């Protein structure tokens, strides 16, 4: 089922932890539609390159299995970890920032993927928080 032109419900809920039923409820599904719409903006910002979703929605069991916190925006369908073939995570972060997109969080994680999120509340104001997470810990992003 397509959520937007380039993003499907299947790719926004896929998990290697197939033993768990990773199905969003109606509220989480609505958030995934908003997230897919945001990812369409990301796709434009990076020049139309493919956006590969590693992980987006995670039910509690999947979230626990990957060692993430219950407060993760992945839990409510408001975050995605993405890769863009031909671009480093740092280049993706810089492109999103340069495009002025209204992100809640943008995180370069371990120089392997980029975490992007939208506000949990559709009417909420995005924090525009940009971070780096790696072996040294978590810190503010500096270009």
């Amino acid at each position: 089922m397509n959520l937007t032109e380039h993003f499907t419900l299947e790719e926004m809920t896929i998990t290697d932890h197939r033993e768990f039923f990773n199905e969003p409820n109606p509220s989480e599904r609505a958030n995934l539609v908003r997230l897919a719409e945001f990812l369409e903006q990301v796709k434009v910002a990076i020049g139309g390159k493919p956006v590969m979703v590693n992980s987006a929605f995670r039910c509690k069991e999947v979230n626990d299995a990957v060692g993430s916190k219950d407060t993760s925006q992945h839990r409510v369908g408001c975050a995605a970890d993405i890769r863009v073939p031909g671009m480093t995570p740092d280049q993706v972060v810089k492109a999103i920032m340069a495009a002025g997109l209204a992100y809640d969080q943008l995180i370069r994680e371990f120089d392997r993927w980029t975490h992007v999120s939208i506000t949990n509340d559709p009417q909420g104001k995005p924090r525009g928080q940009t971070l780096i997470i790696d072996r040294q810990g978590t810190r503010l992003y500096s270009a």
Side-chain angles (χ1 to χ4, degrees), residues 51-69:
V51 174
M52 312 300 290
V53 178
N54 295 341
S55 177
F57 174 74
R58 297 180 195 145
C59 68
K60 177 162 178 43
E61 294 82 6
V62 170
N63 202 59
D64 289 348
V66 300
S68 191
K69 297 177 183 175

Side-chain angles (χ1 to χ4, degrees), residues 12 16 20 24 30 53 58 68-69 75 86 93 98 100 118 123 142:
M12 301 293 271
D16 288 338
F20 301 121
V53 178
R58 297 180 195 145
S68 191
K69 297 177 183 175
R75 286 280 296 112
V93 167
I118 57 173
Q123 307 306 316
S142 59

Side-chain angles (χ1 to χ4, degrees), residues 91-125:
Q91 290 170 321
V92 173
V93 167
K94 288 178 180 176
I96 293 170
M97 291 172 67
L101 300 184
Y103 58 87
D104 193 55
Q105 281 191 319
L106 183 57
I107 308 172
R108 187 184 82 200
E109 293 195 47
F110 301 98
D111 285 325
R112 295 183 53 216
W113 65 84
T114 307
H115 169 98
V116 295
S117 71
I118 57 173
T119 59
N120 292 9
D121 176 358
Q123 307 306 316
K125 183 179 186 313

Side-chain angles (χ1 to χ4, degrees), residues 30-39 78 118-122:
N31 286 339
L32 285 172
V33 171
R34 289 189 310 114
L35 179 60
E37 290 167 350
F38 180 78
L39 291 176
C78 290
I118 57 173
T119 59
N120 292 9
D121 176 358

